[in-house]
Amino acid sequence: MIPSNFMLWLKSIISFALIFPVGFLFKKYFAKLIQNIFAKGGLVLLGKVLAISSSYISFWFFLIALYAAFLIAPVNNASAVAVIHKLFYVVFAFSIVVFVASVLSKVFRKSVPEKIGANIIKFSVIFVGLILILNQAGIKLTPILTALGIGSLAVALALQDTLANFFAGINILLSKQIAKGDYIKLDSGQEGTIIEVNWRVTLMKTISNTVISVPNSKLSSAIVTSFQFRKAEISASVNCGVAYGSDLERVEKIAILAAQEIMYKCEDSVKTYTPIVHFIGFEDSSINFILIFRVKNIYAR
């Protein structure tokens, strides 16, 4: 005669073996099918949410399979059962919080384009969710928060530079004086296009296609020249000179016509802008002037 405990353990294993593969099948086949249906129906947001959830689906089915197997298994220790119930609740609820945080960071990515902004949203949601989960599970938070407070002080002292860069990065994003895609020049001489502001450094790509890493704290305290502040168009100029005795009015007209002709041929010029001539000085053998026109961006200059 087969012992009842053996049959219960067998049923437990079978239930796990049946439920667990469903997550992989759903992720591989059904998730893509539902995404296509959402795409055809114009439900882009729901499609993105499903795409994010696909990486969590296998884990959720694993937890469900494990929990179902546990409910069937002949575990008689009441205290152990209570601990396992609580553990399943915390792990499953925390995975839901992480999923929600990932979705929110993706949704707000357009309004907060930099990675550091999305990460702040994500980790804030995770932190608040974790506190609520632990509180709901009956875990006392006072000793944990006290230990975190003491530990945070030690960490803050050890990571002064890292924290300074982190908060400087937040300040850079909130001030909106510098944004991704802007071409800037620092008072220390470095210049390039902002390609990313992360939690520690700001990455600048130079015209020669090299990348400069500038600590956020250095950038926030530097004198910054922005060539594209809220507008990509930028002025360009050419220094010229003509002989003494030249008809300066005629020189100005010819210079403007020449600039307009070149601007018409150049795709990156701002064709609606009228070139300007400024006479700037008298040299030994020439009268110098500067011809100013406008191009679409710093690279076209």
Side-chain angles (χ1 to χ4, degrees), residues 168-186:
I170 296 175
N171 181 54
I172 290 169
L173 291 175
L174 293 178
S175 66
K176 297 183 180 179
Q177 299 299 310
I178 298 172
K180 185 176 180 180
D182 286 357
Y183 191 95
I184 65 170
K185 182 176 181 180
L186 307 181

Side-chain angles (χ1 to χ4, degrees), residues 88-147:
F88 272 114
Y89 164 76
V90 170
V91 173
F92 188 78
F94 184 69
S95 68
I96 296 291
V97 168
V98 174
F99 165 67
V100 172
S102 300
V103 171
L104 289 176
S105 66
K106 290 285 185 182
V107 170
F108 289 104
R109 192 66 186 265
K110 290 184 178 180
S111 57
V112 188
E114 301 297 341
K115 187 184 291 185
I116 186 175
N119 286 339
I120 289 171
I121 293 172
K122 184 175 182 178
F123 291 121
S124 297
V125 173
I126 290 174
F127 178 76
V128 173
L130 181 60
I131 295 296
L132 293 175
I133 290 168
L134 293 177
N135 185 58
Q136 189 68 25
I139 299 173
K140 294 183 179 180
L141 299 177
T142 304
I144 298 174
L145 294 176
T146 302

